[in-house]
Amino acid sequence: MKPVNQQQIKDINMKRLYASIYSTPGISRAELAKRTKLSKTTVSTLVDELIERRFIQDSGIVESTALGRRPNSLHIRRNSHYIIVFNWYENQIYTHLVDIAGTSVFQDVRIIGKGGSYVSASQESFQEAVSAHCSPDEILGICIVISAMIDEKHKEIYSTTIHLPEMEGTQLFASLKDAFPGYPVDLLNDTACYSYAEKVYGGITEKNFAFINFGNRGIGASLFIDGSMLGKASGSFTQFGHYSVDPDGPLCVCGNHGCLEALFSEPRLKERISEFGEIPSLSSCSQVTFSDLGKAATFRDPVALSMVDEIARELSLALGNLICMVSPSLIILGGKIPDLGEYFLERVRENLKKTGFRRMVDSVQVRYSRLQSDSFLNGAMKYFFDIHYSFTDKNPSGFFIG
Ligand SMILES: [Zn+2]
């Protein structure tokens, strides 16, 4: 989006300066001007404002015996601005106070009782727990992260892996808009937050990449084209988990057959084993995780190996088609699937050589995510800060979807 007024230009410049200081701690004003191609006067004025508003700090002149006085060094100020990230989970809410410099400094958990409301429990957590750990003006905004597809146009959540109480489903958007007066609120899809964390913190240099999230219950994806997330972070722009690789396969919750989610989302693993035989080490488990199956494959259980082979074949069919559509140069498999181990990843790579459009498939790197399982927290914080927060908005408010 092109900036249309002075306030937007100022906001963009402040974000560029903040990002440069974040990535190069100790940078000087002169170096900032060089790097951002802003004038020295602009840099000086905006840096002064960032210092006054406690986003950054000036560590003073550094004396150096060999080179004389070195210019002042600038650093990000930690623990002075936060974003609250609520993670709505099945019957639970995890509340995190995330410093915009990237640290989760406080966590609170609330259980949603029978007939309880996610919105009310989030408000209680904010008022009773979080507010004791920072002052109201240190909070820049509020993110709600949910494993769901969120439809901005029709103002509804049309598919989610958690059970929202009936009334909350239809009135959710209206009640969320008023739940936190004085703060902007952003409703976000979990896979999108994970993928944004990959882009920012995962050292990704590729402009076109796909992130596939294998969650507790579902499979989702987020695509980056030309360096930007396709669509918004609402989970409604791709339905990779419902990509069918077998029209005669098992019935999926969406009504179609043979979707990836119906074939090998984690809750489906246990009942799928019988297709291949029996895995003695897992026969007494009530649930089978990717980690369980990965371990059995590591110990060369022949049935586990056949099952992993088949899942790799099914996933690579879908990936081959995804590659033909958008030609990413990198595909990251994240969430719980890295627990399946290196054998699975190798099989996916091998299978890809036989599927998809050769020239494109050959130049795609497929790897596991290297970030922690709670990377979505920083992803949500950073997404909100980059996309919705404005340094120049004096009365921030609003309700964003994605
Ligand atoms: Zn489906």
Side-chain angles (χ1 to χ4, degrees):
M1 191 180 73
K2 277 200 172 139
V4 293
N5 62 40
Q6 288 303 315
Q7 293 300 304
Q8 283 175 328
I9 293 169
K10 182 180 172 186
D11 177 52
I12 289 167
N13 289 340
M14 287 178 89
K15 278 186 178 162
R16 284 171 66 198
L17 292 171
Y18 184 84
S20 295
I21 298 165
Y22 180 85
S23 62
T24 316
I27 193 169
S28 68
R29 286 168 176 78
E31 186 59 34
L32 273 176
K34 229 186 272 174
R35 195 173 289 191
T36 57
K37 297 194 170 61
L38 295 170
S39 74
K40 282 184 182 169
T41 322
T42 304
V43 168
S44 185
T45 310
L46 297 182
V47 160
D48 285 350
E49 183 172 338
L50 284 169
I51 291 171
E52 195 196 318
R53 290 169 64 182
R54 300 171 57 81
F55 280 92
I56 61 170
Q57 56 194 351
D58 188 334
S59 304
I61 294 164
V62 181
E63 295 289 345
S64 163
T65 47
L67 302 165
R69 280 154 62 98
R70 293 216 322 258
N72 290 32
S73 68
L74 301 167
H75 294 267
I76 294 302
R77 183 180 275 276
R78 293 180 184 273
N79 299 320
S80 67
H81 292 90
Y82 304 93
I83 286 164
I84 298 175
V85 181
F86 292 112
N87 181 21
W88 287 7
Y89 211 66
E90 184 65 38
N91 298 323
Q92 290 175 80
I93 290 176
Y94 291 88
T95 309
H96 302 264
L97 186 63
V98 186
D99 174 14
I100 59 162
T103 318
S104 179
V105 296
F106 172 73
Q107 185 182 329
D108 179 56
V109 186
R110 303 271 150 158
I111 306 294
I112 312 283
K114 210 172 182 325
S117 142
Y118 280 80
V119 176
S120 310
S122 302
Q123 285 175 303
E124 282 161 23
S125 175
F126 180 27
Q127 285 152 9
E128 294 166 12
V130 178
S131 57
H133 290 81
C134 63
S135 71
D137 60 350
E138 290 177 327
I139 298 167
L140 304 183
I142 291 168
C143 295
I144 289 146
V145 180
I146 180 168
S147 173
M149 300 164 195
I150 310 158
D151 184 342
E152 182 179 15
K153 193 171 167 199
H154 298 99
K155 300 199 168 25
E156 62 174 351
I157 286 177
Y158 63 94
S159 176
T160 171
T161 58
I162 66 170
H163 296 92
L164 289 170
E166 192 70 19
M167 286 301 283
E168 201 155 46
T170 52
Q171 296 181 355
L172 183 68
F173 288 28
S175 46
L176 264 180
K177 266 182 192 169
D178 302 326
F180 304 98
Y183 296 105
V185 175
D186 193 7
L187 186 58
L188 296 160
N189 164 268
D190 60 343
T191 297
C193 296
Y194 276 115
S195 71
Y196 203 74
E198 292 287 341
K199 176 181 151 63
V200 176
Y201 304 104
I204 291 174
T205 51
E206 287 81 359
K207 289 215 173 292
N208 297 331
F209 75 94
F211 175 80
I212 320 279
N213 183 30
F214 295 78
N216 285 312
R217 299 175 65 152
I219 299 171
S222 190
L223 304 174
F224 283 78
I225 310 289
D226 276 341
S228 299
M229 186 186 288
L230 179 68
K232 294 181 178 178
S234 60
S236 297
F237 288 80
T238 58
Q239 299 303 343
F240 190 72
H242 295 284
Y243 189 98
S244 174
V245 289
D246 181 5
D248 301 318
L251 181 67
C252 178
V253 287
C254 74
N256 293 330
H257 289 261
C259 300
L260 299 183
E261 224 169 90
L263 287 169
F264 57 83
S265 57
E266 198 166 60
R268 290 278 303 129
L269 296 179
K270 169 77 182 170
E271 56 185 291
R272 239 196 127 186
I273 292 174
S274 59
E275 244 179 70
F276 304 88
E278 201 187 327
I279 304 174
S281 61
L282 302 180
S283 53
S284 60
C285 302
S286 58
Q287 279 187 321
V288 171
T289 63
F290 286 120
S291 173
D292 296 331
L293 184 61
K295 270 182 209 152
T298 302
F299 293 118
R300 314 302 292 170
D301 179 290
V303 173
L305 289 171
S306 324
M307 185 165 162
V308 170
D309 279 346
E310 177 57 14
I311 293 174
R313 190 190 69 82
E314 290 162 350
L315 178 62
S316 63
L317 273 176
L319 293 181
N321 286 303
L322 175 74
I323 292 164
C324 283
M325 293 289 286
V326 292
S327 190
S329 44
L330 170 67
I331 295 174
I332 300 170
L333 307 179
K336 302 190 79 181
I337 207 145
D339 292 344
L340 209 39
E342 285 306 309
Y343 176 74
F344 172 73
L345 190 58
E346 276 313 312
R347 294 304 300 150
V348 171
R349 289 169 176 158
E350 285 298 315
N351 274 286
L352 264 182
K353 289 179 186 163
K354 298 179 228 152
T355 53
F357 183 63
R358 203 44 191 267
R359 198 178 165 85
M360 285 183 176
V361 167
D362 282 352
S363 58
V364 180
Q365 185 200 348
V366 183
R367 67 162 172 85
Y368 285 140
S369 168
R370 296 169 190 142
L371 298 184
Q372 309 291 318
S373 60
D374 63 353
S375 63
F376 72 95
L377 288 175
N378 278 31
M381 176 277 289
K382 197 74 177 128
Y383 181 88
F384 176 83
F385 185 73
D386 290 347
I387 307 295
H388 297 302
Y389 177 72
S390 166
F391 279 104
T392 52
D393 189 350
K394 295 280 180 275
N395 296 301
S397 61
F399 179 62
F400 305 103
I401 294 160

